[in-house]
Amino acid sequence: MSKSVRKLGLFGLGAFGRLIVKHLSPYFDIYACDPSPEARAFARRHNVTLVDLPVAAACDIVVLATPIRTLEALAKAVAPYVKPYGLVIDVGSVKIKPAKWLVDALPATVSILCTHPLFGPQSARKGIHDLEIVLCPVRVRHMDTLVRFFSQTLDLKVSVATPEQHDKALAAVQGLTHLIAKVLSGLEPLPTVHTTRSYDLMMQGVGLVSGDSDELFLSIERDNPFAAEIRKRFFSEIDALRNRLEAHDSGK
Ligand SMILES: O=C(O)C(=O)C[C@]1(C(=O)O)C=C[C@@H](O)C=C1
């Protein structure tokens, strides 16, 4: 991205929006749109200008970092204001649905880069060096410039995929992880003494996602079209194990 592109419109100053501010404010002037009182306090402290939707939407680059359930309506709402040759980026955990919503809503000249940074406030606590971001170039003009920005400027590991390839992989990667983490969280309090290495790693994984909202969990499970299938296989493996163990317990 050239130095002349300075204005970044950011929708959503939630957990991920704040991470974006932390890592992109050295490169852009950030104009954020978020009506919450917490956003007001955060913006004041972090040199972010709070603006109304039309102003954020008219920035050179627009990043949508609001919950997935809001994206379709948001894409329609920003459409009349985006620059004719602007760039709109989303950052959510599923990609097929947002890609379609953005293509349907935005004028044909507007570039669309769907992304999934495979990290969040927890995993990026010590920095983003070498963490992975998946880029889905849905409708992009200068992909090489964008890849260079993410890989060289932000020092991320970049992989490129279609929204389908992304959702297929993440149905298991996140669909299973968040499901198992929910189950284990429901079993708290769990032991913290006499722990094994495998148990520690498992609980570390649970810790990385336990602060995530229930809304994110539901979105990962419901908005990824491949999640239901892998979940079904997971539960049928559990049922088979339960049957085997109960048969053993009853002495069969
Ligand atoms: O590491 C974090 O802070 C998280 O929120 C975890 C996590 C995940 O591992 O699934 C959650 C959602 C994001 O898409 C990526 C990372």
Side-chain angles (χ1 to χ4, degrees):
M1 267 170 248
S2 81
K3 285 234 168 67
S4 61
V5 178
R6 289 297 305 171
K7 285 191 173 181
L8 186 143
L10 173 61
F11 285 85
L13 279 176
F16 200 78
R18 291 167 188 217
L19 194 63
I20 291 175
V21 169
K22 180 173 175 189
H23 292 283
L24 293 191
S25 52
Y27 311 103
F28 300 99
D29 297 328
I30 299 184
Y31 295 81
C33 179
D34 185 326
S36 69
E38 303 82 48
R40 195 158 295 281
F42 176 87
R44 240 194 328 263
R45 284 198 308 274
H46 292 84
N47 204 20
V48 168
T49 312
L50 273 189
V51 293
D52 289 337
L53 181 145
V55 178
C59 289
D60 308 291
I61 298 175
V62 175
V63 179
L64 310 180
T66 59
I68 289 160
R69 81 181 144 78
T70 67
L71 278 186
E72 185 173 19
L74 183 58
K76 288 180 185 159
V78 299
Y81 305 102
V82 287
K83 287 196 160 171
Y85 289 92
L87 168 66
V88 176
I89 299 177
D90 86 312
V91 294
S93 295
V94 301
K95 295 279 60 94
I96 293 176
K97 283 188 180 182
K100 180 174 180 338
W101 293 333
L102 291 171
V103 167
D104 288 349
L106 298 174
T109 53
V110 173
S111 290
I112 300 169
L113 179 68
C114 287
T115 77
H116 184 189
L118 301 181
F119 51 86
Q122 289 307 314
S123 41
R125 226 166 6 143
K126 292 184 182 154
I128 58 173
H129 160 71
D130 223 22
L131 296 180
E132 181 172 343
I133 186 167
V134 182
L135 304 183
C136 304
V138 171
R139 198 166 71 198
V140 169
R141 264 185 304 275
H142 304 292
M143 187 60 178
D144 46 343
T145 313
L146 292 167
V147 169
R148 225 176 307 125
F149 178 77
F150 287 110
S151 61
Q152 293 177 15
T153 310
L154 295 185
D155 205 14
L156 294 172
K157 203 157 70 191
V158 171
S159 57
V160 178
T162 64
E164 287 75 14
Q165 288 167 335
H166 168 278
D167 282 8
K168 259 186 199 156
L170 271 291
V173 171
Q174 279 188 310
L176 289 180
T177 309
H178 285 249
L179 191 66
I180 293 166
K182 265 274 184 268
V183 173
L184 290 178
S185 299
L187 298 179
E188 292 283 9
L190 287 163
T192 53
V193 293
H194 312 313
T195 63
T196 57
R197 177 98 177 108
S198 49
Y199 179 87
D200 291 342
L201 287 172
M202 184 175 74
M203 296 312 281
Q204 210 177 309
V206 172
L208 285 178
V209 303
S210 61
D212 290 333
S213 66
D214 201 51
E215 170 149 39
L216 176 64
F217 169 69
L218 293 175
S219 199
I220 285 169
E221 301 297 340
R222 291 179 178 163
D223 290 325
N224 184 325
F226 304 104
E229 175 59 27
I230 185 84
R231 213 165 47 234
K232 199 168 126 202
R233 285 173 47 208
F234 177 77
F235 286 132
S236 82
E237 286 294 328
I238 298 237
D239 285 340
L241 270 181
R242 183 172 40 215
N243 289 340
R244 205 174 115 207
L245 295 173
E246 286 175 0
H248 178 270
D249 288 347
S250 63
K252 281 183 220 157

